[in-house]
Amino acid sequence: MAEESKNNATMVVFDGDLDKAIASFIIATGAAAMGKNVTMFFTFWGLNVLRKEENIEVKDKNFLEGMFAKLMPRGPGKLKLSKMNYGGVGSHLMKKMMKEHNVSTLPELMELAQDLDVKLVACTMTMDVMGLRKEELIDGLEYAGVASYLSEAEDANVNLFI
Amino acid sequence: MAEESKNNATMVVFDGDLDKAIASFIIATGAAAMGKNVTMFFTFWGLNVLRKEENIEVKDKNFLEGMFAKLMPRGPGKLKLSKMNYGGVGSHLMKKMMKEHNVSTLPELMELAQDLDVKLVACTMTMDVMGLRKEELIDGLEYAGVASYLSEAEDANVNLFI
Amino acid sequence: MAEESKNNATMVVFDGDLDKAIASFIIATGAAAMGKNVTMFFTFWGLNVLRKEENIEVKDKNFLEGMFAKLMPRGPGKLKLSKMNYGGVGSHLMKKMMKEHNVSTLPELMELAQDLDVKLVACTMTMDVMGLRKEELIDGLEYAGVASYLSEAEDANVNLFI
């Protein structure tokens, strides 16, 4: 029984690059399809994966928070490749080549993950630090801190930092 | 018995930088020397570690695939450092300093890994997306997708994303 | 009993960026507070996190070692963000925003980690390669190689490469 419970998977999604986000959701949906409980914990730049694409006006941001929010990419459509991005040309080409080979897009993978009950958790501490508010992030998320991640990780044997 | 089998190690080699490739093969050969079954799963830029150094002409590539293949480094000799690469000076110096301290080179580590039966797996989905063909990669590889990686990861307690 | 011992946590701290270093120490101190034995293994650029801030003159360095030591950041105060560093402006702003939200600074997190008996291990092989000497690193470290890391990882279920 204790044995059984060690079969889950957790991922810390830290980087928030397009290619790493795609890799993390491919692993997450694959693991969920195999019947694992999967938790993805989004922190630091990884939070940008969860941002809504539209500009959400938030009144109570201070100057720094507003600036960070402006400079960071809003959602999957704006993410950059970790390599060979070439000002967005690389990420555009990568999406084109994925389409040609019928690989799901990042928004499709994210929807699939939610359909498969992959738990998407936004790290509240880094949300605070970066000045991101819940209304700027997509629906269906949970909000928690590192202790919650660690207690999930305890029951997992696959724990990745991406 | 179920216990025993949870002692393997898997690595997702994603980045394909010289320094990260070296680190991953040092961990892999170390783990194999301790008797673990080790599987390295090369995906995205990590596939470049497995490319042959010579230029392999592949007839049926489309324009984008040909361009990606041209821009991405061919094999261990062309990989860059993730930091302080300085247009190749950094990676040259790193190799020189490794040699001075009798640390194995990346090609030597890769050969050792294969001698120790470390399983080197190329991710077929990203090969498709990036237009890399089997004849462009070194010999002795296995070819598989994420489901195969996940079933190996199930039997491992060390699972790293590099 | 064998079961019990699989509850530890290990981290390979490879990158040595400010944000990744903060994330690794937040996870490490969180895990230690939950009663886990935590080992952080610093290698390659991660060693820079452990450098003393002052310039330590080391007599027997060769030219390359001296140059690397000069170019690499000395300790937590000099680390860069992995993204949006903007020549140091980004890392300065990140520290400011962390302070505003009462998040511990990296030096505070490192002290806390040592108070909580998190084992900080410097990788001797990469110290050799990069020409870093024990007297250049902070006190309270252990010194070991990859075999030692792997034997710790054997008893852990959370193993991250950061």
Side-chain angles (χ1 to χ4, degrees):
Chain A
M1 182 60 207
E3 244 341 76
E4 277 327 289
S5 67
K6 296 263 184 198
N7 276 325
N8 298 334
T10 70
M11 274 169 251
V12 179
V13 183
F14 177 96
D15 263 321
D17 297 308
L18 177 64
D19 41 4
K20 294 203 175 171
I22 290 169
S24 65
F25 275 98
I26 288 177
I27 296 172
T29 52
M34 288 168 65
K36 283 174 183 280
N37 295 317
V38 183
T39 301
M40 300 174 82
F41 187 75
F42 295 82
T43 187
F44 283 86
W45 320 103
L47 288 169
N48 294 325
V49 181
L50 304 177
R51 287 179 80 186
K52 292 178 186 157
E53 308 235 331
E54 66 266 29
N55 190 11
I56 308 287
E57 281 297 335
V58 179
K59 289 265 152 63
D60 64 335
K61 286 203 181 186
N62 65 29
F63 175 73
L64 271 185
E65 292 175 340
M67 204 179 68
F68 255 76
K70 216 166 205 87
L71 289 172
M72 295 190 304
R74 280 207 304 269
K78 298 284 172 36
L79 302 178
K80 297 173 182 175
L81 288 182
S82 67
K83 286 181 201 313
M84 288 177 63
N85 190 59
Y86 302 130
V89 177
S91 59
H92 179 76
L93 295 183
M94 174 70 78
K95 287 177 202 169
K96 208 172 132 86
M97 290 165 85
M98 285 176 65
K99 200 167 179 180
E100 276 172 15
H101 290 90
N102 298 314
V103 177
S104 305
T105 63
L106 180 52
E108 286 165 358
L109 286 167
M110 289 172 70
E111 214 183 297
L112 177 60
Q114 290 193 304
D115 288 348
L116 291 169
D117 290 325
V118 170
K119 212 188 284 179
L120 307 183
V121 184
C123 169
T124 46
M125 191 208 78
T126 41
M127 282 177 68
D128 278 355
V129 168
M130 289 168 146
L132 291 171
R133 305 288 190 268
K134 287 186 184 180
E135 57 263 39
E136 295 176 86
L137 304 185
I138 60 171
D139 295 332
L141 304 180
E142 298 188 21
Y143 297 88
V146 69
S148 154
Y149 156 70
L150 282 165
S151 82
E152 300 275 0
E154 190 123 321
D155 294 334
N157 65 326
V158 177
N159 292 298
L160 303 174
F161 187 98
I162 299 184
Chain B
M1 181 61 208
E3 243 344 74
E4 275 330 288
S5 66
K6 296 263 182 197
N7 277 324
N8 298 335
T10 70
M11 273 167 253
V12 178
V13 183
F14 177 96
D15 263 322
D17 297 307
L18 176 64
D19 41 3
K20 293 199 175 173
I22 290 169
S24 64
F25 275 99
I26 288 177
I27 295 173
T29 51
M34 287 167 65
K36 284 174 182 280
N37 295 317
V38 183
T39 302
M40 300 173 83
F41 187 76
F42 295 82
T43 187
F44 283 87
W45 319 105
L47 289 169
N48 294 325
V49 181
L50 303 177
R51 288 179 78 185
K52 291 178 186 157
E53 309 235 331
E54 65 266 30
N55 190 12
I56 309 285
E57 281 297 335
V58 178
K59 288 267 152 61
D60 65 337
K61 287 205 182 187
N62 65 29
F63 176 73
L64 271 186
E65 293 175 340
M67 205 179 67
F68 256 75
K70 216 167 206 87
L71 290 172
M72 295 189 304
R74 280 208 303 270
K78 297 283 171 39
L79 302 179
K80 296 174 183 175
L81 287 183
S82 66
K83 286 181 203 312
M84 290 177 61
N85 191 59
Y86 302 130
V89 177
S91 58
H92 178 78
L93 296 184
M94 175 70 78
K95 287 177 203 169
K96 207 172 133 86
M97 290 165 84
M98 286 175 64
K99 199 166 180 182
E100 276 171 16
H101 290 91
N102 298 313
V103 177
S104 305
T105 63
L106 180 52
E108 286 165 359
L109 286 167
M110 290 172 70
E111 215 182 297
L112 178 59
Q114 292 193 303
D115 288 347
L116 291 169
D117 291 324
V118 171
K119 214 189 284 182
L120 307 184
V121 184
C123 169
T124 47
M125 191 209 77
T126 42
M127 283 177 67
D128 278 356
V129 167
M130 288 168 146
L132 291 172
R133 305 286 191 269
K134 288 186 185 183
E135 58 262 39
E136 295 176 85
L137 303 185
I138 59 170
D139 295 332
L141 303 181
E142 298 187 20
Y143 296 88
V146 69
S148 155
Y149 157 70
L150 282 165
S151 81
E152 301 273 2
E154 190 123 319
D155 293 335
N157 65 326
V158 177
N159 292 297
L160 304 173
F161 186 99
I162 299 183
Chain C
M1 181 60 206
E3 244 341 74
E4 277 329 289
S5 66
K6 296 262 182 197
N7 277 323
N8 298 335
T10 69
M11 274 167 252
V12 178
V13 183
F14 177 96
D15 263 322
D17 298 307
L18 177 64
D19 41 3
K20 294 202 176 172
I22 291 169
S24 64
F25 275 98
I26 287 176
I27 296 173
T29 52
M34 288 169 62
K36 283 173 182 282
N37 295 318
V38 183
T39 300
M40 301 174 81
F41 187 76
F42 295 82
T43 187
F44 282 87
W45 319 104
L47 288 169
N48 294 326
V49 181
L50 303 178
R51 288 178 78 185
K52 290 179 188 157
E53 309 236 331
E54 66 265 31
N55 190 13
I56 310 286
E57 282 297 336
V58 178
K59 288 269 153 60
D60 64 337
K61 286 203 182 187
N62 66 29
F63 176 72
L64 270 186
E65 292 176 339
M67 204 179 67
F68 256 75
K70 213 164 209 87
L71 291 172
M72 294 190 304
R74 279 206 306 268
K78 297 287 172 35
L79 303 179
K80 296 174 185 175
L81 287 183
S82 66
K83 286 181 203 311
M84 289 178 59
N85 190 59
Y86 302 129
V89 177
S91 59
H92 179 76
L93 295 184
M94 175 70 79
K95 287 178 203 169
K96 208 173 132 86
M97 290 165 85
M98 286 176 64
K99 200 168 179 181
E100 275 171 17
H101 290 91
N102 298 313
V103 177
S104 305
T105 64
L106 180 52
E108 286 165 359
L109 286 167
M110 290 172 71
E111 216 184 296
L112 178 60
Q114 291 193 304
D115 288 348
L116 291 169
D117 291 325
V118 171
K119 214 190 280 181
L120 306 183
V121 184
C123 168
T124 46
M125 190 209 78
T126 42
M127 282 178 66
D128 277 357
V129 168
M130 288 169 146
L132 290 172
R133 305 288 191 270
K134 287 186 186 181
E135 57 263 39
E136 295 176 86
L137 304 184
I138 59 170
D139 295 331
L141 303 180
E142 297 187 20
Y143 296 87
V146 69
S148 154
Y149 156 70
L150 282 164
S151 82
E152 301 274 1
E154 189 122 321
D155 294 335
N157 65 326
V158 177
N159 292 298
L160 304 173
F161 186 98
I162 299 185

